[in-house]
Amino acid sequence: MKPILVGNWKNHPDSLARAASIASGLAKKSAQYKKLATYIAPPLPYLETVSKKIKGFGNLASQDIFFAPEGTYTGATTPDILKSFGVKLSIIGHSERRALGETNEVASDKIKCALRSGITPLLCVGEKERDAEGEHFEFIREELRLSLEGVRRKDDAGKLIIAYEPVWAIGKRSKEAMQPTDLAQMVIFIKKVLTDIFGREAAEMIPILYGGSVEGDNAKALIETGVNGFLVGHASLDPKMFGEIAAALETHA
Ligand code: PEP
């Protein structure tokens, strides 16, 4: 499987002109992204502009998805609309949405809706803090179990992506990201939980990404941990740094 690189722009940058300039910056190094499965998730109003700039080397993603494919829901952007812009993947259950009240049950509804709409769901899980007793492992097990409720082993599991994003490691500099040895341990644990839910054959098809302060200088060590790629926040707005991360992933292509 190709390494996966997803850029989550969150609510940045603050203008369409700036968004176009960042996307043009990425396009200058387009060859670097072609060996990867690259996705960019800009703020919704920038979808069309970014889509044109990344065509040929990257795919469009959304930072969230609504839990009904179509209908009358004022203020919601339904999957059908996202699809009409060419969105191929949706981030679901990001910790910043969970902080606004999104539950595992809502994440589960969104995953099922994305699957029904032909959009790849990228489910985010991650503990807020760690303790010596290892409570965070149980927390991750529960988030996975509840968020994946109703996802069918046979038809759906192979279309899923999981992003492990410890909340305490998000939005910092690379030095404060997770240590590779701890990440390697968590990747094994997540694979075990996915095997318990879906069985070994299906679980093996599910890519696991890491997200949380991935920058140019820690990407190489983090990719050696058994993850299949990265979900990148702030560094995805910096074409030079995002290019360095892509270069580290390329060595695993
Ligand atoms: C994120 O919010 O998904 C993320 C990984 O952010 P950052 O890379 O800035 O830590």
Side-chain angles (χ1 to χ4, degrees), residues 8 10 94 96 165 169-172 211-214 231-234:
N8 172 16
K10 310 192 183 193
H94 189 279
E96 288 158 12
E165 293 213 308
I170 290 181
K172 311 241 168 81
S213 305
V214 179
L231 172 54
V232 179
H234 66 272

Side-chain angles (χ1 to χ4, degrees), residues 38-50:
T38 304
Y39 299 86
I40 302 294
L44 291 177
Y46 305 157
L47 279 180
E48 193 173 0
T49 299
V50 173

